[in-house]
Amino acid sequence: DTGVSQNPRHKITKRGQNVTFRCDPISEHNRLYWYRQTLGQGPEFLTYFQNEAQLEKSRLLSDRFSAERPKGSFSTLEIQRTEQGDSAMYLCASSETDRANYGYTFGSGTRLTVV
Amino acid sequence: AQRVTQPEKLLSVFKGAPVELKCNYSYSGSPELFWYVQYSRQRLQLLLRHISRESIKGFTADLNKGETSFHLKKPFAQEEDSAMYYCALSGAAGNKLTFGGGTRVLVKP
């Protein structure tokens, strides 16, 4: 197991296009989290899953954003009709529910640039 | 609502000097507090958590509920400590982490 994997590492897209990111968590981790980080800021919570159930969504997650974890393993984050304000680093993290107070394991992130 | 404040954006210290990173939080219940670190070109990783009361890489952090603080300290900074440090809070085990804005530490030789 190589930890939390995110693809792609970088994505440049034109405004108005749709993009999709993928996260593969550590295999035994049943919780998966998405965060967004802009320059000079700490990570901001977007949403999280326990297995395939999406348990919480932030108000930051507008209608243009959707996340799925269909089989309780990998997750995808889609942004429709991208805007320049969507440019950020998108981070994925995972944890075991019973050991979540031991902290999360983060992926390397997907850097999105909307031009 | 959960909030974490790191008042210092940048801390610059000389090697061997003490370093203290401030973290204040706002939460009505009993929080779980963490420090995460991001070294250059590496992913965000857990440094330490308050429940374990451990020292990692010479760093310690004490939860002060009266002052709602969780400051990170190291008595003798090393050049390899140069990194971004984020304080984070969880309102309940397994739930979302709320991060502060981060403090960049630069340890000069």
Side-chain angles (χ1 to χ4, degrees), chain A residues 23-86:
Chain A
C23 172
D24 288 87
I26 293 173
S27 56
E28 60 267 27
H29 285 185
N30 51 12
R31 290 222 171 177
L32 185 149
Y33 310 82
W34 283 100
Y35 283 80
R36 182 174 71 184
Q37 186 174 23
T38 53
L39 197 62
Q41 303 295 320
E44 296 174 294
F45 171 77
L46 293 178
T47 187
Y48 85 94
F49 294 83
Q50 178 159 327
N51 300 314
E52 65 275 11
Q54 189 171 19
L55 297 187
E56 186 175 348
K57 294 192 295 185
S58 163
R59 288 174 294 176
L60 292 175
L61 217 63
S62 75
D63 291 344
R64 298 185 295 105
F65 288 70
S66 62
E68 295 183 341
R69 195 182 183 196
K71 297 183 179 179
S73 57
F74 73 91
S75 175
T76 58
L77 178 66
E78 181 183 15
I79 308 174
Q80 297 181 331
R81 305 180 302 282
T82 52
E83 301 172 357
Q84 287 189 323
D86 297 332

